[in-house]
Amino acid sequence: MISIRHLSKTFHNPDGSVVNVLKDVNCDIDKGEVISIIGPSGTGKSTLLRALNMLEPPTSGQILFDGQDITAKGYRLDALRRRMGMVFQSFNLFDHMTVIENIIYAPIRLLGISDADARAEAMTLLKKVGMSQKADVYPSSLSGGQKQRVAIARSLAMHPDVILFDEPTSALDPTMVGEVLSVIRQLASEGMTMLIVTHEMRFARDVSTRIFFMNEGIIYEDGSAEQIFEHPVRSATKAFVNRIQKLVYEIGSDEFDQLDMHSGINAFCIKYNIADKAAQAISIADDMIQNHMASVRPLTFRLTYTELTSETALDFMVEGMTESPFAAGKFPDAIRAQAKDIIQEPTTRGFRIKILI
Amino acid sequence: MIAGIILLAISCSCSGNKQKSIELNSEADLSGLTLSTAVGNYYEHKFSKRSDVKVFAAATQADALQAIRQGLADVFVADDIEVPERTLKDLGLKVAFYGEDLFEVAYCVKKGNTELAGQFNTFLASIPVQDIIEHWTKDGPQVPDPNAGQIKNTQPLRCAVCANLDPVCYVGEGGEWMGLTPDLLTRFANYLGRPIEIMLQDLGGALTAVQTGQVDMVGGNIFITEERKTFVDFTDSYYLCHPVFVVADHGKRAHIGIGERFRMNLIKENRWKLITDGFVETIKITVLAILIGTILGMGVCAALRSRRRWVRSAAGLYGSFIQGTPTLVLLLIMFYVVFASSGLSASSVAIITFAFSFASSAGNIFNSSISTVPVGQTEAGLSLGFTPFKTFTGIVLPQALRHGLPLYAGDCVKLLQSTSIVGYIAIQDLTRASDLIRSRTFDALIPLLIITIIYFVLAWLIRKLLNLLLIRK
């Protein structure tokens, strides 16, 4: 359905510097594919998506849509865009229209559908995204997640052949990410062709038929979800999909700022969508630092989160020690009862206790 | 609230007579007194040099006369011909003494226009000037004009008059020009067989207009001076003039009721017609300037949003030039410099000037209103399949309007108010109508009150109308 050939995009900044965001992108996208585009920030994921419907015209290269070159001069972009929906990070609902007016505005004007038919269909779509109660309110009274679901319904109302999702959950409160992702999941199961730029690794792995890992302005690795996440070929891909998010505290003396650590753990858990684990992490960290390992100083405490496996762990590292600070490796029962697993092992730098929660 | 202001104003204008009893016999006796006269005339110039006399320079001669009644000044000075016996009697004033200066009064023509000056001098020698002067100043019998009614269809004689006071030059019943100056000019036009056009201008403006050729002659008790001779030519003098010093005459002031004041200012001599004519003129200039200025403003807005840097800079420069120049100065530049020899009417020049000025501010309002609509709205419209034009008109513009409309309406009202300066280029708008009435009735309150209410209602109407036109929900 879509073929991209040698696509490049160069930005000229006002300060005179030149950035080659896309260098040489090549790929073919077939009908029914659900493709997640992942990769470090600044590698051109969104630019590629925006080039596909010419919101960001490429510097060179070709994009063929059903065999036609849409980058050619004189190509009817409005006709193309009717067949290619787009969902934005910032929703971009029309603030001066109610929810239902947002949805029916384009179909009435561009597809020639009657007002009554457009409304009936809009209600069906709103029901599908769980927003039928809010048909007559203005977007300003909706939460971010609700706005994004309306935006998806608006895009569906044009019956597009493909929908482009540009980081659809990045602007959302962590508590609202789920509702939007489940709507996209549902669309995927119905066979909608979609390209999704996302940072949600678990979601990407679950929903995609194919993953583009973008790096250095090209599609660095392209393969099935299993291939990219379980058996990546290239080292940069491997490093990215297995990356671990960390929060580190060095505890030198008892005057260490405990409250600062509490709020740090809270923020970390919210950021990585594991808010439900924050209270437990704080309680274990406090117990370990103040009671069970009170005599061990200096102590390095790390909270880690592996996105792909969604593994959360508390790490306590004692520099220069080769044995467990606990007699005969016997771990306090109170902690053991709360943990999924406890690993005690010597490392090159010292002794490590890893508590998985 | 309005009623309250009216009552307050009326009660203020009725009180406050604090004239002192003064015995004056010569200019030397003026020491320590306040002297009122019209701004920019010979007397202001002369007495400003005397450190012991305070000069109150009023906008018009009528205002300067009124200053004596209001206690703002002790003595009024003007040309003797400007204050006939009947005016003094009506206002409860009296002549203190006549000055010793003697001036020759004449008409001005463009420097080098000896043909017109010569024709006038020949004409002047052929008429009973003294009888005509007596008619206007001392209610002498009407002097018939043998050439009346012979106007041919030729180029009109365009005249500027720079006095607005009975009997020199004033607006009479039905709005036509009366007084000695217009009378002589009309007789001269009849003598030449040409129609006549008379417009009221201040002296400086009128002398500029005759130099640029916008008018053929200037009159209104203009003295022949050596300085003026360097840039205009004079006709022969038709009158020798002394200064007259006027003071309050106690016990001779008739009290006039408020009903009578309204009658005098509106009904007598059909003066309401001046107001309605001025109203039409003000509306005409305001509405046309808004329409043209709005279209130009869209151009300014497009230029400000242009991709080309030089176009943006040009639009910015235009804006800072317009906004950095007082509208009155701009109007004078347009009338006396840019369009001086174009033959455009003063109204047209005013409309163009206000349209240019409005275009700048409207363009900025449009631009900033569009900027308040996030770029994501445009992207959403485009991505649904609308053309850039339909995205702009259907999605961006309605949101921009909500933001910009109150500002736009405010600017329209500001434009309406600033049209009150068009009197400077001899247009008889609403404000000038009140000046004309005031100079006849010597009553400031009623005419000003009426036009204030009219401006207020107009401003309210503009806002209402724009809301109705542009906001559908």
Side-chain angles (χ1 to χ4, degrees):
Chain A
M1 184 162 65
I2 301 171
S3 299
I4 299 175
R5 297 279 173 267
H6 305 296
L7 196 74
S8 77
K9 175 74 188 180
T10 306
F11 284 112
H12 295 269
N13 292 334
D15 62 10
S17 64
V18 173
V19 188
N20 293 307
V21 182
L22 298 178
K23 283 174 188 151
D24 182 18
V25 175
N26 295 282
C27 66
D28 291 284
I29 297 156
D30 289 326
K31 197 164 170 50
E33 285 196 288
V34 177
I35 299 174
S36 288
I37 304 172
I38 62 168
S41 17
T43 51
K45 302 186 296 291
S46 287
T47 308
L48 173 61
L49 203 71
R50 290 161 58 82
L52 276 175
N53 72 351
M54 295 292 282
L55 276 184
E56 206 75 80
T59 309
S60 69
Q62 283 184 315
I63 301 168
L64 303 174
F65 187 74
D66 285 347
Q68 297 222 346
D69 183 5
I70 65 168
T71 62
K73 245 195 171 141
Y75 185 84
R76 285 286 303 274
L77 288 176
D78 51 326
L80 164 80
R81 288 169 181 151
R82 279 170 216 178
R83 300 174 56 194
M84 204 183 257
M86 186 152 196
V87 174
F88 299 87
Q89 179 178 348
S90 51
F91 331 124
N92 297 347
L93 292 181
F94 305 133
D95 294 327
H96 61 305
M97 301 180 191
T98 62
V99 163
I100 197 156
E101 284 167 353
N102 261 278
I103 295 171
I104 64 175
Y105 186 75
I108 289 175
R109 283 162 185 78
L110 298 174
L111 303 179
I113 297 173
S114 75
D115 188 89
D117 289 351
R119 277 178 191 275
E121 201 197 339
M123 284 314 292
T124 314
L125 289 172
L126 282 175
K127 218 164 274 166
K128 186 172 176 172
V129 300
M131 292 293 296
S132 53
Q133 302 286 314
K134 301 279 190 180
D136 294 317
V137 307
Y138 281 91
S140 56
S141 65
L142 299 180
S143 72
Q146 291 173 322
K147 282 183 190 169
Q148 196 59 297
R149 286 186 279 153
V150 172
I152 293 171
R154 178 175 69 178
S155 157
L156 288 171
M158 289 296 288
H159 302 290
D161 297 334
V162 53
I163 302 184
L164 313 173
F165 289 88
D166 186 7
E167 303 200 22
T169 59
S170 296
L172 295 178
D173 221 60
T175 55
M176 293 166 186
V177 171
E179 64 194 63
V180 172
L181 292 184
S182 73
V183 168
I184 302 174
R185 270 199 180 90
Q186 192 191 342
L187 291 179
S189 70
E190 290 168 5
M192 173 62 81
T193 312
M194 300 190 285
L195 275 90
I196 309 161
V197 173
T198 186
H199 291 289
E200 302 287 337
M201 292 301 136
R202 256 187 303 167
F203 166 77
R205 190 178 61 177
D206 295 350
V207 82
S208 311
T209 59
R210 209 166 144 201
I211 306 279
F212 291 169
F213 173 67
M214 285 196 71
N215 196 18
E216 297 171 359
I218 58 167
I219 298 179
Y220 197 80
E221 197 162 346
D222 167 4
S224 69
E226 197 205 339
Q227 194 182 322
I228 297 291
F229 286 113
E230 314 293 339
H231 315 290
V233 177
R234 307 185 66 170
S235 57
T237 318
K238 199 177 283 181
F240 180 78
V241 297
N242 290 315
R243 74 197 155 138
I244 297 168
Q245 307 295 343
K246 303 183 191 92
L247 179 71
V248 182
Y249 287 94
E250 301 282 346
I251 298 130
S253 69
D254 287 336
E255 269 104 65
F256 131 85
D257 189 345
Q258 197 180 353
L259 288 176
D260 178 56
M261 183 184 77
H262 288 180
S263 61
I265 291 173
N266 266 322
F268 182 87
C269 290
I270 288 170
K271 185 171 172 196
Y272 295 106
N273 208 12
I274 46 168
D276 52 327
K277 296 201 169 155
Q280 196 186 3
I282 289 169
S283 125
I284 294 175
D286 280 354
D287 203 13
M288 290 291 283
I289 292 163
Q290 287 169 5
N291 304 326
H292 307 302
M293 299 182 84
S295 57
V296 187
R297 294 290 185 271
L299 177 68
T300 305
F301 161 60
R302 301 193 308 174
L303 179 62
T304 66
Y305 174 67
T306 312
E307 278 179 88
L308 191 60
T309 55
S310 62
E311 183 187 88
T312 314
L314 291 89
D315 257 24
F316 297 91
M317 171 75 92
V318 192
E319 299 252 350
M321 222 179 242
T322 53
E323 281 179 25
S324 170
F326 301 106
K330 194 179 179 311
F331 212 75
D333 288 336
I335 303 287
R336 188 172 287 281
Q338 291 183 58
K340 276 186 188 155
D341 196 6
I342 293 173
I343 299 159
Q344 297 193 67
E345 58 185 8
T347 68
T348 49
R349 285 167 59 209
F351 196 83
R352 183 164 81 152
I353 299 162
K354 184 174 182 181
I355 304 168
L356 290 158
I357 57 168
Chain B
M1 192 194 76
I2 297 171
I5 294 171
I6 294 170
L7 283 176
L8 190 73
I10 289 172
S11 62
C12 286
S13 72
C14 291
S15 60
N17 300 312
K18 49 163 189 164
Q19 296 106 328
K20 290 166 256 177
S21 188
I22 307 164
E23 261 324 301
L24 292 175
N25 297 310
S26 73
E27 288 180 17
D29 297 339
L30 294 171
S31 191
L33 298 178
T34 302
L35 181 74
S36 75
T37 191
V39 69
N41 69 12
Y42 168 81
Y43 308 108
E44 186 203 2
H45 188 66
K46 174 177 178 179
F47 288 100
S48 295
K49 289 181 186 155
R50 268 181 65 172
S51 58
D52 60 336
V53 178
K54 206 177 147 208
V55 176
F56 177 87
T60 66
Q61 270 153 324
D63 294 336
L65 254 179
Q66 189 73 347
I68 304 287
R69 295 174 65 188
Q70 290 165 333
L72 296 170
D74 307 303
V75 192
F76 166 80
V77 62
D79 307 339
D80 52 12
I81 194 172
E82 293 176 319
V83 270
E85 202 52 43
R86 61 173 179 275
T87 303
L88 294 174
K89 223 176 92 186
D90 286 351
L91 295 176
L93 304 172
K94 66 178 180 192
V95 172
F97 65 94
Y98 288 92
E100 279 166 15
D101 290 331
L102 196 62
F103 304 104
E104 292 179 301
V105 175
Y107 289 91
C108 302
V109 297
K110 186 175 181 170
K111 187 90 187 150
N113 194 353
T114 45
E115 189 194 347
L116 191 65
Q119 283 173 326
F120 185 83
N121 294 343
T122 314
F123 153 78
L124 194 62
S126 71
I127 56 165
V129 183
Q130 207 48 49
D131 293 347
I132 296 171
I133 293 173
E134 297 262 316
H135 165 66
W136 289 108
T137 56
K138 295 182 181 142
D139 297 322
Q142 184 110 29
V143 181
D145 180 5
N147 300 315
Q150 294 183 8
I151 290 170
K152 291 171 196 152
N153 195 12
T154 56
Q155 198 68 2
L157 185 70
R158 292 163 305 164
C159 303
V161 291
C162 41
N164 184 18
L165 200 71
D166 175 12
V168 175
C169 180
Y170 62 97
V171 173
E173 189 161 3
E176 87 275 29
W177 287 101
M178 312 268 285
L180 176 62
T181 299
D183 188 11
L184 286 179
L185 286 172
T186 309
R187 284 167 195 266
F188 179 49
N190 290 343
Y191 167 81
L192 293 175
R194 293 167 68 176
I196 188 161
E197 271 175 18
I198 294 179
M199 62 198 89
L200 178 66
Q201 260 177 310
D202 63 300
L203 181 61
L207 291 179
T208 312
V210 78
Q211 289 174 78
T212 61
Q214 282 162 306
V215 299
D216 300 314
M217 294 184 83
V218 177
N221 242 49
I222 299 175
F223 303 159
I224 301 174
T225 68
E226 287 307 314
E227 192 197 1
R228 288 174 186 163
K229 273 185 186 168
T230 61
F231 53 90
V232 290
D233 279 353
F234 283 95
T235 64
D236 289 345
S237 172
Y238 59 90
Y239 182 73
L240 279 176
C241 168
H242 283 281
V244 61
F245 293 80
V246 170
V247 293
D249 187 7
H250 294 284
K252 285 201 176 172
R253 273 196 62 203
H255 180 77
I256 307 170
I258 191 76
E260 173 61 17
R261 284 171 72 181
F262 269 102
R263 202 192 66 76
M264 213 173 69
N265 282 289
L266 288 178
I267 315 294
K268 199 174 167 197
E269 292 184 358
N270 282 334
R271 283 174 185 145
W272 56 271
K273 267 204 73 183
L274 289 171
I275 301 257
T276 52
D277 289 352
F279 176 81
V280 169
E281 193 65 36
T282 293
I283 292 273
K284 185 179 92 186
I285 293 171
T286 305
V287 170
L288 287 177
I290 287 175
L291 288 179
I292 298 169
T294 301
I295 292 165
L296 291 176
M298 289 173 188
V300 171
C301 173
L304 285 170
R305 304 183 74 79
S306 168
R307 260 177 234 176
R308 287 171 220 279
R309 185 200 292 264
W310 70 268
V311 176
R312 288 198 304 272
S313 314
L317 206 69
Y318 171 74
S320 33
F321 170 71
I322 296 273
Q323 272 151 35
T325 315
T327 317
L328 175 56
V329 175
L330 202 62
L331 185 69
L332 295 176
I333 290 173
M334 293 292 246
F335 188 68
Y336 290 119
V337 183
V338 179
F339 290 107
S341 50
S342 68
L344 274 181
S345 74
S347 291
S348 307
V349 175
I351 290 166
I352 292 169
T353 307
F354 286 114
F356 279 174
S357 159
F358 190 72
S360 156
S361 56
N364 274 318
I365 289 175
F366 296 157
N367 182 31
S368 67
S369 304
I370 292 168
S371 299
T372 59
V373 180
V375 70
Q377 298 285 317
T378 304
E379 291 189 344
L382 291 176
S383 76
L384 284 168
F386 288 103
T387 58
F389 179 75
K390 288 213 168 123
T391 302
F392 180 75
T393 54
I395 293 159
V396 176
L397 207 57
Q399 299 186 57
L401 272 181
R402 292 193 166 196
H403 180 264
L405 189 67
L407 297 171
Y408 178 76
D411 259 40
C412 290
V413 171
K414 224 185 280 168
L415 171 63
L416 165 73
Q417 290 163 348
S418 60
T419 60
S420 63
I421 60 175
V422 297
Y424 276 91
I425 58 167
I427 297 172
Q428 287 184 31
D429 71 322
L430 203 49
T431 302
R432 182 48 68 96
S434 86
D435 289 345
L436 294 174
I437 295 175
R438 195 164 78 238
S439 70
R440 290 289 284 135
T441 61
F442 299 99
D443 187 345
L445 172 71
I446 307 290
L448 286 175
L449 191 68
I450 287 164
I451 66 160
T452 302
I453 293 169
I454 293 175
Y455 276 120
F456 180 84
V457 171
L458 273 179
W460 178 81
L461 269 177
I462 285 175
R463 285 181 196 280
K464 258 290 182 269
L465 217 67
L466 283 174
N467 273 321
L468 277 178
L469 277 176
L470 295 174
I471 294 188
R472 271 157 285 176
K473 276 183 224 172

